[in-house]
Amino acid sequence: MKFSAITDNFPQAQAEALVIVVFKDEKADSEDLKELNKITGGLLDSLLRSEEFSSEELSTHNIYLPENSGVNAKRLLIISGGDKEEFKPANIALATGTAARFLRKAKVKSFAFNPRFEADALEISQFAAQGVVTSQFELDKYQTRNKDKKPAEIANFLLYVKGGKASELREGLRRGQIIGESMNIARDLANEPPNILTPTEMAQRASKIAKEVGLKCEILDEAKMEKLGMGSLLSVSRGSAQPAKLIVLKYTPAKSSGKKETIALVGKGITFDTGGISLKPSEGMEAMKYDMSGGATVIATMRAIALIKPKVPVIGVVAAVENMPGGKASRPSDVVKAFNGKTVEILNTDAEGRLILADAVAYAEKQGAGTIIDMATLTGAVIVALGDINTGILGNDQTLIDEIIQCGKECGEGYWQLPVGKQYSKMIRSDIADVKNIGPRGKAGTIIGAVFIQEFIDKAKWAHLDIAGTAWCDTVRPFQAKGPTGVAVRTLLRYIEKNQ
């Protein structure tokens, strides 16, 4: 896809379609809309004054331009921005994504976009490009039927920002393309069938990405993990014929800001989760292919980091494991020893994500991380509490949590804090080991998962993102296909850049 920026004469853009954002209660009497109204032969004004026009955010209205319009485009597409007071830079990604998906169905391959919104030029262009890129992702990778009926790909995107600096617009478009492509990599990984994306395949793909963008990659096999004492992680892989892998990606900046503290991103990479001996119900089990979304987010974010090049060292750790029942599988009541020496009583083998994250976060801290952010599709309880709107966030450092929440707001990703504390930690004390991997039935499920992981953090600042509800969307949205969302990539990248 080609990305370009223009700073004047929007109507004459070399594109098949012109796209604008129009806000609630606007009429075609502003200077820029007057010009477009003239091109449409008055149809724009008529539309905005009619009851047919919907001001609901992301609603679309298409106007075919007259042959004698005097412009290159054949149509004008209006995207409703809703209330202008509520419109933020991140909404631009939703608008460009909506436009791209609408136009693709019409086989339009190029469009020029005017957000009609004043903000930082780099921000506008970054969100604009990201929205177009992420709008291209579809679930149909393995479909062989109706290939000729698939929507067209957008080949050329032009962004109009009146008076914007060309250098800032180019850099924003570059960054937006990187972020969008990285999010789509996370989505592609989460969408892969589990017979294809095994822990070994996930490690190989991470290694390939690392080589392409200049990350250092180390893959720890089960023998190495056994030697290191990662009994908690390895307890999950025992029932599977697929060996576990610990994927370690390292980014070292060429120019350091002088800040020595390493930031670690740690992801749950359960490539398929049957529940193990504590077998899940068969209904809905097919969705457990996306149980590695946290790991996918780490790999995708590390790719973006390598290309955008912040001035702070970052390590990405992904525990890639398949959780299966079998003759060697862990049993409820087994006791294992984790990497940090603590013993764990396994009472439910379907509470496996926290078992692999226990060793992964401890390993990240051992590698020198002073700040650790883990992400995982950890609990169904967070879906009950927050649905697919907000990601649950918990941790041991309020400043870190506040910064992540703020970065999320700036990127259009919602986070909602849940508490941790000694009273919750007491709920996972074991009678025969140091801790047990579940708490009382039906009580504080998301919090219990988090405080278990916290047991394996020593001195590092730590935040836990439970993305079980937000990593997957069951419905098509105007700006994206249903399925994996690539959640948290934008937030994590922004957090890292703010702390370089």
Side-chain angles (χ1 to χ4, degrees), residues 242-424:
Q242 299 291 338
K245 305 289 182 183
L246 191 73
I247 304 164
V248 183
L249 302 170
K250 291 185 178 180
Y251 166 77
T252 304
K255 295 181 180 180
S256 174
S257 63
K259 184 176 180 179
K260 297 180 180 179
E261 183 182 89
T262 296
I263 298 172
L265 307 178
V266 180
K268 172 186 173 183
I270 299 291
T271 58
F272 194 75
D273 180 22
T274 65
I277 296 299
S278 305
L279 193 67
K280 292 178 180 290
S282 60
E283 184 178 356
M285 192 190 290
E286 71 281 354
M288 288 299 97
K289 70 176 185 178
Y290 97 109
D291 211 18
M292 35 58 63
S293 294
T297 295
V298 171
I299 293 169
T301 306
M302 291 301 295
R303 174 190 183 271
I305 288 167
L307 294 172
I308 290 176
K309 303 184 187 307
K311 297 177 181 179
V312 60
V314 185
I315 180 174
V317 180
V318 178
V321 183
E322 185 178 66
N323 185 25
M324 299 285 284
K328 296 182 179 180
S330 293
R331 294 145 297 217
S333 76
D334 279 0
V335 173
V336 297
K337 181 179 284 188
F339 176 71
N340 72 344
K342 285 189 177 181
T343 55
V344 179
E345 181 185 14
I346 301 171
L347 293 181
N348 188 316
T349 64
D350 193 26
E352 85 299 330
R354 63 201 68 180
L355 294 173
I356 67 172
L357 287 172
D359 283 342
V361 296
Y363 181 81
E365 187 165 12
K366 191 74 171 180
Q367 296 298 302
T371 299
I372 298 172
I373 306 170
D374 80 75
M375 57 231 65
T377 49
L378 202 74
T379 65
V382 80
I383 303 175
V384 175
L386 303 176
D388 61 0
I389 306 300
N390 287 295
T391 291
I393 183 170
L394 310 92
N396 66 5
D397 186 273
Q398 192 59 47
T399 299
L400 171 61
I401 291 170
D402 290 343
E403 287 180 351
I404 293 172
I405 292 172
Q406 180 58 35
C407 288
K409 286 180 180 178
E410 294 170 9
C411 295
E413 296 183 320
Y415 295 83
W416 193 268
Q417 185 177 0
L418 295 170
V420 296
K422 291 181 180 179
Q423 288 179 306
Y424 290 111

